Amino acid sequence: MQKDIATPIRTQEILKKYGFSFKKSLGQNFIIDPNILRNIVSHADLTKDSAAIEIGPGIGALTEHLARAAGKVVAFEIDQRLLPVLVDTLSPYDNVEIIHSDILEANVKQIFEDKLTGIKDVMVVANLPYYVTTPILLKLLMDRLPIRGMVVMMQKEVADRITAVPGTKAYGSLSIAIQYYMKAEVAMVVPRGVFMPQPNVESAVIKLTRHETPPVQVMDEDFLFQVSRGSFVQRRKTIINNLQSSLPNGKEKKEIIIECLQKVNIDPSRRGETLSIEEFGRLADELYPYFH
């Protein structure tokens, strides 16, 4: 069996061999505990018929575990300095392909077509760079990629927001955007000591599983997200105040907004954080004709 990359000694050896120094701007925190990696991969339920998409493979610690579990691994790495390291550390695995690209700028749909033809089961599994976790998740969802779900490490605070329920402080437009597409649950909380260097924040792994059908059917998904984002512009304000200031010409259309809220049985004096995704869906459909 190949010796794991993700041990403190092996990680130090690799970093020393390549004279690698961590770039704070890229949010690089490498995992140095193989048990954590095995646990992450187990939550993804991969088989040799599956493919895994990874973002930010670093020196290949998680990539190696994915390569052992899945038939194919495609990993996006933005840091050019890591490309020769990955060629070296992942040389025992012939089912891994590294793409030197910023995932936020990559044409991921095209890459799916080119690299994953014929593979029906695809999971995103990654230790995400914490400073761009939200944009990456939203891009992968908005690109409507044919994936079964995601198992991703992130800052615990962001994980709490993604999995939050109505009426809690963490609940917001991010919770709604992600829960519209995926069932979200915290799979595990991860201690700081398993990273090199140690991050200043707590970490968690969340598991996202695609809904067969969204929890609410709407006329226009983008407008649903516009309404939900607008309802949280100022958390302490009522939904009518937030929608007036966030919807186009909302102030002039105040009476229309109030009427729409009443039609779907939402008290205009409620705050956005108390509305369920189903309520946002009904409200968005009611408002849609007046703002399009």
Side-chain angles (χ1 to χ4, degrees), residues 20-282:
F20 182 83
S21 56
F22 293 94
K23 263 192 188 166
K24 213 168 180 183
S25 63
L26 293 177
Q28 289 168 331
N29 301 90
F30 298 164
I31 298 171
I32 51 170
D33 183 332
N35 291 324
I36 294 283
L37 295 173
R38 278 192 281 274
N39 206 339
I40 291 171
V41 173
S42 74
H43 281 290
D45 302 315
L46 299 168
T47 70
K48 287 297 172 187
D49 293 326
S50 312
I53 301 282
E54 188 186 6
I55 296 130
I59 58 172
L62 174 59
T63 325
E64 162 176 83
H65 286 266
L66 292 171
R68 292 171 187 167
K72 168 105 185 170
V73 182
V74 176
F76 291 83
E77 180 51 64
I78 194 172
D79 189 347
Q80 193 160 0
R81 302 172 305 152
L82 286 165
L83 302 182
V85 185
L86 289 162
V87 169
D88 177 4
T89 59
L90 298 173
S91 57
Y93 307 98
D94 59 4
N95 58 341
V96 177
E97 189 163 347
I98 306 295
I99 295 173
H100 177 218
S101 170
D102 177 348
I103 186 81
L104 290 172
E105 290 173 12
N107 184 343
V108 186
K109 254 191 175 147
Q110 191 61 53
I111 289 163
F112 259 70
E113 283 169 28
D114 296 346
K115 314 282 185 195
L116 302 176
T117 321
I119 299 178
K120 300 232 177 331
D121 184 56
V122 184
M123 283 291 281
V124 174
V125 187
N127 171 19
L128 293 174
Y130 290 3
Y131 72 106
V132 282
T133 297
T134 302
I136 290 172
L137 289 175
L138 291 176
K139 175 190 165 73
L140 294 173
L141 292 172
M142 300 305 174
D143 279 2
R144 294 170 174 76
L145 300 168
I147 57 174
R148 169 164 53 90
M150 307 188 210
V151 176
V152 282
M153 173 99 75
M154 62 187 64
Q155 194 173 329
K156 184 174 179 297
E157 186 194 328
V158 180
D160 290 341
R161 284 167 51 206
I162 286 170
T163 55
V165 295
T168 59
K169 265 214 312 237
Y171 182 72
S173 55
L174 181 63
S175 327
I176 292 156
I178 291 183
Q179 291 173 30
Y180 176 79
Y181 292 107
M182 303 263 179
K183 176 182 172 233
E185 56 195 318
V186 174
M188 56 199 269
V189 175
V190 182
R192 297 176 197 201
V194 305
F195 295 95
M196 180 188 292
Q198 287 191 25
N200 302 324
V201 293
E202 284 217 86
S203 303
V205 174
I206 67 164
K207 180 171 183 174
L208 300 171
T209 311
R210 182 179 289 288
H211 294 304
E212 298 225 342
T213 54
V216 57
Q217 299 292 319
V218 289
M219 292 177 189
D220 186 295
E221 289 177 2
D222 293 333
F223 187 64
L224 165 66
F225 301 137
Q226 187 185 337
V227 169
S228 65
R229 271 196 314 273
S231 303
F232 289 94
V233 173
Q234 293 190 42
R235 288 190 75 93
R236 302 201 61 75
K237 286 199 165 181
T238 61
I239 190 160
I240 180 62
N241 284 339
N242 271 330
L243 290 177
Q244 268 189 94
S245 53
S246 64
L247 289 173
N249 304 318
K251 287 202 168 39
E252 293 89 88
K253 295 182 177 176
K254 180 181 177 180
E255 293 311 314
I256 289 170
I257 300 171
I258 290 173
E259 204 174 298
C260 291
L261 283 160
Q262 287 168 340
K263 269 190 189 162
V264 292
N265 295 320
I266 296 170
D267 186 329
S269 68
R270 280 172 67 183
R271 288 184 186 161
E273 68 197 47
T274 68
L275 270 68
S276 67
I277 192 166
E278 291 80 7
E279 287 179 305
F280 273 117
R282 291 199 299 273

